[in-house]
Amino acid sequence: MYKQVIVVRKDLGMDKGKIAAQVAHASLEAYKETDLETRERWEEGGSKKVVLKVENLKKLMELKERVKSERIPYAVIRDAGKTQIEPGTVTSLGIGPVEEDRIDRLTKELKLL
Amino acid sequence: MYKQVIVVRKDLGMDKGKIAAQVAHASLEAYKETDLETRERWEEGGSKKVVLKVENLKKLMELKERVKSERIPYAVIRDAGKTQIEPGTVTSLGIGPVEEDRIDRLTKELKLL
């Protein structure tokens, strides 16, 4: 099974609409980084998505480094900052789609948003 | 300017993680329905996304019909229903990306999520 994981910072105080927009952004950008065959397998399985939370920027970037070193496609999302938060703030990380066991190993300690 | 609008039902009692996953799903599926030239113009402008709310299924489907009759790309999202809500429940509607003035006419009465 394949899934996509989106990780959101919980220390920014974003409201649910802001969070949803950032997650959508991360989902789409990580999707664009993913090869066609993986995309298709993920879609055949129902395009599973899981949204998790991290404490802060440091934790998000540490996870990004592990994802990168595993050669899993990802996208770091920075907000345009027109509302709620400063321009350029990293808000979220989109990962995959990728095989579930490859991503679960990296994110097993994170909780659902 | 181009933007994508995602409309979420507020009567389902979904939590913020669930909402974010549904919005991401709607965003990606509507994106796939959109022609390449429109996608590129939207991306050049920063991939603007706005998340709005509707009262209930009836309002969501009425909006979908108006979007469809304007030949704007869209995607109706039904949840797999493994958590929180019944399988097949319509949760959200992804619209566009599309020129802002074309979509604003149809959604001007809706509030931000």
Side-chain angles (χ1 to χ4, degrees):
Chain A
M1 272 292 283
Y2 286 73
K3 73 178 172 190
Q4 188 179 54
V5 173
I6 301 106
V7 177
V8 183
R9 281 177 64 183
K10 65 176 180 179
D11 59 326
L12 294 174
M14 297 184 286
D15 67 26
K16 63 187 175 184
K18 183 83 179 175
I19 290 171
Q22 298 299 312
V23 167
H25 210 64
S27 173
L28 180 55
E29 295 305 317
Y31 174 85
K32 289 182 197 168
E33 297 295 325
T34 305
D35 66 272
L36 191 60
E37 189 183 330
T38 301
R39 285 183 188 182
E40 285 176 353
R41 289 184 183 177
W42 175 61
E43 286 158 358
E44 285 162 8
S47 305
K48 184 174 177 183
K49 292 180 194 74
V50 177
V51 184
L52 305 174
K53 58 188 173 186
V54 283
E55 298 285 336
N56 52 40
L57 177 63
K58 182 166 175 284
K59 296 281 188 187
L60 187 146
M61 296 308 268
E62 285 171 2
L63 176 58
K64 186 266 282 182
E65 287 302 324
R66 294 202 299 277
V67 166
K68 187 177 179 181
S69 69
E70 297 273 345
R71 297 178 178 276
I72 296 169
Y74 70 91
V76 174
I77 301 304
R78 292 174 192 273
D79 189 64
K82 290 167 191 158
T83 54
Q84 295 185 37
I85 56 179
E86 287 298 306
T89 304
V90 171
T91 59
S92 54
L93 170 67
I95 307 168
V98 59
E99 298 91 330
E100 281 200 295
D101 59 341
R102 288 183 68 201
I103 185 61
D104 286 350
R105 271 188 288 127
L106 303 181
T107 58
K108 63 189 175 197
E109 284 161 25
L110 300 179
K111 290 182 178 161
L112 289 171
L113 178 70
Chain B
M1 273 292 282
Y2 286 74
K3 73 178 171 190
Q4 188 179 53
V5 174
I6 301 107
V7 177
V8 182
R9 281 177 65 184
K10 64 176 181 179
D11 61 325
L12 293 175
M14 298 184 285
D15 67 27
K16 61 187 175 183
K18 184 82 179 174
I19 289 171
Q22 298 300 312
V23 167
H25 210 64
S27 173
L28 181 55
E29 295 307 315
Y31 174 86
K32 290 182 196 169
E33 296 296 325
T34 305
D35 67 90
L36 191 60
E37 189 183 329
T38 301
R39 285 182 188 182
E40 286 176 353
R41 288 185 184 179
W42 177 60
E43 286 158 359
E44 285 163 10
S47 304
K48 184 175 175 182
K49 293 181 193 72
V50 178
V51 184
L52 304 174
K53 58 188 174 186
V54 282
E55 296 286 336
N56 51 40
L57 177 63
K58 182 167 176 282
K59 295 282 188 185
L60 186 147
M61 297 307 268
E62 285 171 359
L63 176 59
K64 186 267 283 183
E65 287 304 322
R66 294 202 299 276
V67 166
K68 187 177 179 180
S69 69
E70 297 273 345
R71 298 177 177 278
I72 296 169
Y74 70 91
V76 174
I77 302 304
R78 293 174 191 274
D79 189 64
K82 288 166 193 161
T83 55
Q84 296 186 35
I85 57 179
E86 287 298 306
T89 304
V90 171
T91 59
S92 55
L93 170 67
I95 307 169
V98 59
E99 297 90 332
E100 281 200 293
D101 60 338
R102 287 183 69 201
I103 185 61
D104 287 350
R105 271 187 288 130
L106 302 180
T107 57
K108 61 189 173 196
E109 285 161 25
L110 299 180
K111 290 182 180 164
L112 289 170
L113 178 69

